[in-house]
């Protein structure tokens, strides 16, 4: 024999999802004013950087004085080299990123051939 629900049974039988109930509103609550939305023309969005991690790495191997030289930036790192070599690499990288900014491109957007041309032009003579 199966047990049939009786009226005396105080535990409700749930089937499926329970019904959502709204809490009783108190009489003291007042309706709130709607917040104004900011429209798209009011916000200026800066151009987003494209996805992908790109960086330049410069390694100088002509250090004879034992001094450890390290220069880092947001997208580059220069390690080692003599004082003259390290300074030359730093200047080249800075001019390279200035040229990229002038062209309106990020490092990850530039093809290898174009980057090689920019670096060649940026290298001090």
């Amino acid at each position: 024999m199966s047990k049939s629900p009786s009226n005396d049974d105080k535990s409700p039988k749930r089937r499926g999802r329970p019904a959502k109930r709204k809490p009783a509103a108190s009489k003291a609550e007042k309706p709130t004013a709607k917040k104004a939305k900011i429209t798209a023309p009011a916000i200026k969005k800066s151009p987003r950087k494209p996805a992908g991690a790109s960086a330049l790495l410069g390694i100088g191997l002509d250090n004879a004085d034992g001094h450890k030289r390290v220069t880092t930036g947001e997208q580059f790192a220069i390690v080692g080299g003599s004082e003259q070599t390290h300074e030359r690499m730093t200047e080249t990288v800075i001019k390279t990123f200035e040229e990229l900014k002038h062209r309106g491109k990020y490092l990850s957007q530039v093809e290898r051939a174009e980057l090689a041309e920019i670096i060649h032009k940026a290298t001090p003579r």
Side-chain angles (χ1 to χ4, degrees):
M1 261 178 124
S2 68
K3 186 177 177 183
S4 62
S6 65
N7 291 340
D8 296 337
D9 190 9
K10 295 192 180 192
S11 62
K13 303 287 183 192
R14 292 187 181 186
R15 290 186 183 171
R17 206 181 270 185
K20 292 184 180 179
R21 295 182 185 177
K22 293 181 181 178
S26 68
K27 293 179 182 179
E29 289 183 26
K30 293 182 181 178
T32 58
K34 291 184 179 181
K35 293 181 180 179
K37 289 186 178 181
I38 298 175
T39 59
I43 300 174
K44 275 191 173 180
K45 292 184 178 180
S46 61
R48 292 185 141 191
K49 292 182 183 177
S54 298
L56 293 177
L57 175 64
I59 302 173
L61 303 173
D62 65 340
N63 186 3
D65 62 0
H67 188 78
K68 295 179 183 175
R69 294 174 178 86
V70 177
T71 304
T72 59
E74 190 175 324
Q75 291 185 317
F76 72 90
I78 299 171
V79 182
S82 65
E83 184 176 355
Q84 182 183 5
T85 301
H86 193 87
E87 187 176 312
R88 188 171 180 212
M89 287 191 298
T90 303
E91 186 178 342
T92 301
V93 169
I94 290 171
K95 285 182 178 180
T96 299
F97 280 105
E98 286 174 356
E99 179 62 25
L100 286 173
K101 186 176 181 180
H102 177 72
R103 293 183 185 196
K105 295 183 177 182
Y106 293 101
L107 185 61
S108 60
Q109 294 175 320
V110 182
E111 296 292 327
R112 289 181 185 183
E114 185 179 4
L115 181 60
E117 174 217 334
I118 293 170
I119 291 172
H120 182 72
K121 286 182 181 179
T123 304
R125 305 282 170 213

